[in-house]
Amino acid sequence: MVEEKSMKYSKRHGGPYDRGSADSYYGRPFRPHYFVGATYQSKEIAIPVGTDEYEAYKAGFDENEASGNFKY
């Protein structure tokens, strides 16, 4: 059973959890980042390891990987 970490993180479009989930869904590599505003239309921020943002990105990525929900 997949632990529902997502309940703990903001799912704001462009945020760390959203970007992790999207990267996994589209088959992109694990690359922790987020956007300060709208996705691809605002500044992109690289996320350092050990931060809350990193954990949110990783949770989004890992949960999508575990669900097997990928764009083919």
Side-chain angles (χ1 to χ4, degrees), residues 20-72:
S21 178
D23 285 349
S24 168
Y25 175 76
Y26 286 108
R28 295 187 291 244
F30 186 89
R31 186 179 66 87
H33 68 286
Y34 68 95
F35 293 91
V36 295
T39 303
Y40 300 117
Q41 297 187 14
S42 64
K43 185 175 180 178
E44 182 177 329
I45 305 294
I47 303 173
V49 175
T51 62
D52 290 342
E53 290 87 358
Y54 182 89
E55 292 304 316
Y57 178 93
K58 184 174 183 328
F61 193 95
D62 290 350
E63 286 181 25
N64 193 73
E65 290 287 307
S67 76
N69 181 28
F70 305 110
K71 180 167 177 102
Y72 292 104

